[in-house]
Amino acid sequence: MPSPDTRVMTAHVPLPLAEQVDQLATRLDRSRGWVLKQALAAFVDREAERYRMTLEAMDDVDAKRGLSHQDVKAWAATLGTDEQGPLPE
């Protein structure tokens, strides 16, 4: 019986992926739903972190914190040479 704090969601999944989910559920002795909830939660967490980091990076750019493209290019050009420069600050 569904819990009042859950919602059924439907998605069309390519057959090869559905088969992989089924195999994983069997191997882990878990339900297909459990596998999908774990995967969806991990994806949502990863995307939330990516978004947070993007906003943080945009704030750094707005505050002029960071390295210029020219400084990075000049440093990268020295990599693998006898005259390798220090990491730009």
Side-chain angles (χ1 to χ4, degrees):
M1 172 159 217
S3 168
D5 60 343
T6 64
R7 180 172 39 158
V8 172
M9 301 179 83
T10 304
H12 288 269
V13 179
L15 285 175
L17 181 57
E19 290 166 1
Q20 288 178 310
V21 169
D22 288 341
Q23 291 168 3
L24 185 57
T26 298
R27 189 171 71 241
L28 296 174
D29 195 25
R30 295 287 191 158
S31 69
R32 181 185 302 134
W34 184 90
V35 171
L36 293 173
K37 281 187 268 187
Q38 297 299 309
L40 185 57
F43 175 78
V44 168
D45 287 348
R46 186 179 69 239
E47 290 303 309
E49 178 65 6
R50 184 189 320 249
Y51 182 65
R52 184 197 65 74
M53 291 171 62
T54 298
L55 293 179
E56 184 180 300
M58 290 169 61
D59 286 344
D60 285 344
V61 170
D62 290 343
K64 308 280 190 245
R65 292 185 297 264
L67 303 172
S68 74
H69 180 69
Q70 291 168 321
D71 288 345
V72 173
K73 274 182 72 172
W75 169 75
T78 70
L79 294 176
T81 70
D82 293 335
E83 304 285 326
Q84 185 168 322
L87 187 64
E89 292 186 28

